[in-house]
Amino acid sequence: MTEQTIVPQTDAKPVPTLPDAQTVTSVKHWTDRLFSFRVSRPASLRFRSGEFVMIGLMGDPDPKTGKQRPLLRAYSIASPSWDEELEFYSIKVQDGPLTSKLQHIQPGDQIILRPKPVGTLVHDALLPGKRLWLFATGTGFAPFASLLREPETYENFDQVIVTHTVRDLAELDYSRSLIEDIQNDEMMHELIGKENLAKIVYYPTTTREQSPKMGRITTLLEDGTVFADLGIDGINAETDRGMVCGSLAFNKDIKEVLEGFGLEEGANSDPKHYVVEKAFVG
């Protein structure tokens, strides 16, 4: 007969709860530098697809006081506004104050999530148009993962061109698989319409590893390669709208390219031809 030991309830240590805590529901590591994860969604959280929130973990205790402070960073919400959970796509920085810790989260763990969404990559910041360009580098694809699952995107535009520039082919796995899933998922067919999902044009490029399309998207726009590949005349302010999310250097370069085509930068309070997510760095 096996002897059982009953531990008194008073001996159990309470599980510490983070401020504004949400629970991790799943984690997927795409490469040794990239991962995505999903967390519970606060019942009160309302956001527009394309916006970001502040998320994080508690930092290490102060050597002198022992107190911990939250480490928070801006993360675009990769899930659409109608999703019951929140998805995020992140880079791993081994010596990064936050991502060195965040990359080790597991289902059941908690993260801090400040439920105050903001951002410029929203439909309200753009004038009506016919063709939407989504320009991303690296994990800058995250807000577009949200917008590509948002019905309004296809109600507003006849064509949605997604460009994603990375160094190596493996860094395209997240965007490629997400777009494939969107186009093949029966629920998405019902929500958005199969004919609307056919509006998506995926244009991935790499800058280091050999791939079917090499080069920075800025160069491929300037020399006309993109337009020749896609069979379109070019970009103009009458029909084309753009959203940009990438490194600071990329944002600067793509802004110059778009303004060279006659497009003007807009904002929530002043809709124009293109918008840039200034909070994203990476």
Side-chain angles (χ1 to χ4, degrees):
M1 184 174 180
T2 304
E3 182 179 350
Q4 286 187 321
T5 303
I6 299 176
V7 180
Q9 192 67 33
T10 54
D11 290 350
K13 294 182 179 179
V15 177
T17 300
L18 298 175
D20 294 315
Q22 295 301 319
T23 302
V24 178
T25 59
S26 65
V27 182
K28 181 165 183 176
H29 294 270
W30 297 89
T31 72
D32 60 355
R33 297 183 66 251
L34 299 166
F35 70 109
S36 62
F37 57 98
R38 294 176 67 86
V39 304
S40 56
R41 176 174 178 170
S44 61
L45 177 63
R46 299 289 181 270
F47 70 95
R48 295 175 294 176
S49 293
E51 290 187 314
F52 67 86
V53 290
M54 302 298 290
I55 68 172
L57 297 168
M58 296 303 292
D60 294 328
D62 185 280
K64 294 180 180 179
T65 66
K67 293 183 178 180
Q68 291 177 281
R69 293 185 177 182
L71 292 170
L72 299 173
R73 297 289 186 273
Y75 269 73
S76 292
I77 303 173
S79 47
S81 60
W82 50 262
D83 202 323
E84 294 180 353
E85 294 183 336
L86 300 177
E87 182 179 340
F88 298 96
Y89 183 44
S90 179
I91 193 170
K92 305 175 189 179
V93 181
Q94 299 310 319
D95 57 353
L98 176 59
T99 59
S100 61
K101 301 175 182 291
L102 193 63
Q103 64 183 291
H104 299 298
I105 58 173
Q106 300 290 333
D109 290 347
Q110 291 184 338
I111 68 163
I112 302 168
L113 190 149
R114 296 286 163 81
K116 295 181 179 179
V118 290
T120 54
L121 299 183
V122 293
H123 287 300
D124 292 345
L126 293 177
L127 293 169
K130 294 184 178 180
R131 183 163 49 217
L132 176 64
W133 295 80
L134 304 177
F135 298 105
T137 59
T139 54
F141 179 77
F144 304 146
S146 174
L147 286 157
L148 286 168
R149 289 179 278 187
E150 174 58 57
E152 186 180 357
T153 301
Y154 307 93
E155 294 167 4
N156 292 355
F157 297 97
D158 297 332
Q159 189 177 42
V160 180
I161 301 175
V162 187
T163 81
H164 192 194
T165 300
V166 298
R167 297 180 307 172
D168 304 316
L169 275 167
E171 296 174 5
L172 292 169
D173 286 351
Y174 178 77
S175 60
R176 183 182 62 250
S177 65
L178 184 135
I179 290 174
E180 288 176 354
D181 289 346
I182 290 173
Q183 293 179 320
N184 295 319
D185 185 82
E186 288 298 326
M187 189 198 78
M188 296 301 297
H189 290 176
E190 293 180 13
L191 178 66
I192 294 175
K194 195 171 183 179
E195 70 286 354
N196 282 326
L197 294 172
K199 296 177 179 180
I200 300 173
V201 177
Y202 182 48
Y203 194 86
T205 72
T206 59
T207 58
R208 180 184 297 177
E209 184 179 1
Q210 191 66 36
S211 72
K213 182 57 61 176
M214 299 284 297
R216 299 181 183 280
I217 191 63
T218 46
T219 302
L220 299 174
L221 286 167
E222 289 176 320
D223 66 15
T225 299
V226 175
F227 310 128
D229 288 342
L230 300 182
I232 58 180
D233 293 333
I235 290 177
N236 69 77
E238 290 186 11
T239 57
D240 293 86
R241 303 293 175 259
M243 292 183 171
V244 181
C245 192
S247 66
L248 291 176
F250 170 73
N251 289 354
K252 178 178 179 294
D253 291 344
I254 199 80
K255 283 177 64 170
E256 291 178 0
V257 172
L258 294 178
E259 289 175 5
F261 288 125
L263 275 61
E264 297 179 44
E265 184 175 0
N268 283 273
S269 59
D270 185 23
K272 291 289 180 64
H273 308 117
Y274 79 93
V275 285
V276 178
E277 186 50 83
K278 299 178 178 64
F280 175 84
V281 180

